[in-house]
Amino acid sequence: MHRFQLELDDLASAAFACSPLQETVLSLRMWTHPGTYHPAQTAWFELIRPEFERLPQAGLLRSLVGSNRWVPDFLTPRPATPFPDFRSELALVRALPPERLATELSRAHLPHDRRLPPLLAAGLAADPAALLTEIADALAAYWDRCLAPGWWPRARSALQADIVHRARMLAERGAAALFADLDGRLHWADGVLTIRRDWATGDAEVVVARRGLVFSPSCFIRGAVTSISDEYPPSIVYPTRGQATMAPLPQPPPAAEALELLLGAPKARLLALLDEPTSTTELAARLGVTPGAVSQHLGVLHTTRLVTRTRSGRLVLYARSPLGDQLRS
């Protein structure tokens, strides 16, 4: 078991964050363990595969993932803000003291594989600082060429919608219900948040002690996990909901004929898409129209109280209201 000891102040300051670097690193599992655990992402990553294979650093990127799917902690730093920028997070990776690189890589690989992958072992032996730069540059190239153009906008929408849902649940049902809903591995009782520690042997006790506890949704894990090493700031990564909405270029669901007659086809289709909080940009991509056109229709739907809107960082997310649900049924 992994136990987080939380005082009242710790619970009050617990936060949610969406990390593009975390998702970049964890997505490498799609290349080392394809099709194993993340079927909702398979279609996207088959589209991305040709570009990934053209990366000169593809071998180095694959070597970062252990055979048991562990990745080094320093590659997934705890987000410092709710919606950090990829480059600012990558700067934290670049700032790792090179003399710590061997320890960080060993923690991820040696417990299960007993040795480092040849590319990493050779780089450490030659020049740890140069290897660290190569790793960071490889992640930047992977992000720029494979994830940022198409996949990340869809993923960001799903991750931020998840955070909006969790905030609503915390307000309506309290911390115990929130933690239970995040994942079945989590249990909250008497000031202790416990994770069933399937990924490591033994127990760990972490006193949060006003260091903050950050929760991050992810598209690439099966159940809630935390850092390999307990020396890192307290954080928990949990599986995000709503990944079914991320399919590449999905066809919008058909709107009921009566609803189209009442609202017009564009507004009826928008209403049908809003099962989960979604951004204007995401809705425009799914419908194949401009964000401006979507904004106009959403403005009308919001004025008539058929949709709600919630700000999440720099995005505004829209969802069907209870009145909109009744109209759709």
Side-chain angles (χ1 to χ4, degrees):
M1 294 291 183
H2 203 114
R3 301 181 183 90
F4 291 89
Q5 306 285 341
L6 293 165
E7 300 294 337
L8 183 59
D9 287 348
D10 299 319
L11 185 59
S13 62
F16 285 81
C18 170
S19 169
L21 177 59
Q22 169 191 278
E23 294 304 275
T24 298
V25 172
L26 295 182
S27 76
L28 296 175
R29 295 166 167 175
M30 297 297 292
W31 313 119
T32 59
H33 298 74
T36 307
Y37 300 118
H38 313 296
Q41 300 299 328
T42 299
W44 263 114
F45 279 77
E46 284 306 307
L47 291 176
I48 295 169
R49 180 179 295 279
E51 191 63 36
F52 177 79
E53 298 295 351
R54 283 192 288 268
L55 288 173
Q57 308 98 326
L60 177 61
L61 290 168
R62 283 192 174 101
S63 74
L64 296 173
V65 183
S67 62
N68 60 349
R69 302 170 65 248
W70 285 14
V71 295
D73 285 335
F74 82 99
L75 295 177
T76 55
R78 190 177 79 169
T81 63
F83 304 101
D85 174 73
F86 175 81
R87 299 293 179 194
S88 66
E89 290 195 289
L90 192 61
L92 299 177
V93 173
R94 296 185 186 277
L96 182 80
E99 60 270 19
R100 283 186 50 192
L101 184 57
T103 298
E104 294 287 340
L105 296 175
S106 296
R107 282 175 178 163
H109 288 278
L110 297 191
H112 191 266
D113 297 334
R114 307 302 179 190
R115 66 184 183 89
L116 291 177
L119 280 174
L120 298 182
L124 281 174
D127 187 342
L131 176 60
L132 181 61
T133 298
E134 289 176 17
I135 290 172
D137 289 347
L139 290 170
Y142 176 45
W143 168 262
D144 290 338
R145 292 174 55 178
C146 298
L147 301 184
W151 180 83
W152 175 244
R154 296 283 180 88
R156 179 180 57 196
S157 181
L159 296 169
Q160 292 183 328
D162 179 280
I163 291 176
V164 170
H165 170 78
R166 307 302 177 183
R168 184 183 301 122
M169 173 167 282
L170 178 61
E172 294 176 353
R173 297 175 55 190
L178 169 68
F179 295 145
D181 189 64
L182 288 178
D183 187 63
R185 292 183 181 181
L186 294 173
H187 176 71
W188 167 255
D190 301 323
V192 178
L193 180 62
T194 303
I195 304 180
R196 191 173 67 249
R197 196 177 164 101
D198 293 350
W199 68 93
T201 58
D203 292 344
E205 304 286 341
V206 177
V207 179
V208 176
R210 299 188 178 182
R211 291 180 293 160
L213 177 60
V214 174
F215 295 87
S216 298
S218 176
C219 298
F220 303 106
I221 59 170
R222 291 180 295 167
V225 296
T226 188
S227 303
I228 299 171
S229 171
D230 299 329
E231 71 183 43
Y232 278 83
S235 65
I236 293 174
V237 183
Y238 66 91
T240 192
R241 62 199 296 276
Q243 292 190 56
T245 66
M246 287 180 57
L249 301 176
Q251 292 297 316
E257 183 177 353
L259 195 59
E260 286 194 11
L261 291 173
L262 177 64
L263 300 176
K267 294 181 185 65
R269 291 194 185 100
L270 272 175
L271 203 62
L273 285 172
L274 290 171
D275 292 325
E276 298 286 345
T278 311
S279 70
T280 302
T281 303
E282 169 67 7
L283 290 167
R286 296 177 70 179
L287 289 169
V289 298
T290 66
V294 170
S295 292
Q296 289 181 358
H297 293 306
L298 287 173
V300 175
L301 292 173
H302 182 261
T303 299
T304 55
R305 294 183 290 179
L306 296 178
V307 303
T308 62
R309 62 186 179 197
T310 307
R311 181 165 293 279
S312 178
R314 290 169 294 190
L315 292 182
V316 176
L317 301 177
Y318 290 85
R320 270 199 314 273
S321 68
L323 179 60
D325 285 334
Q326 291 178 17
L327 197 61
R328 274 273 296 161
S329 61

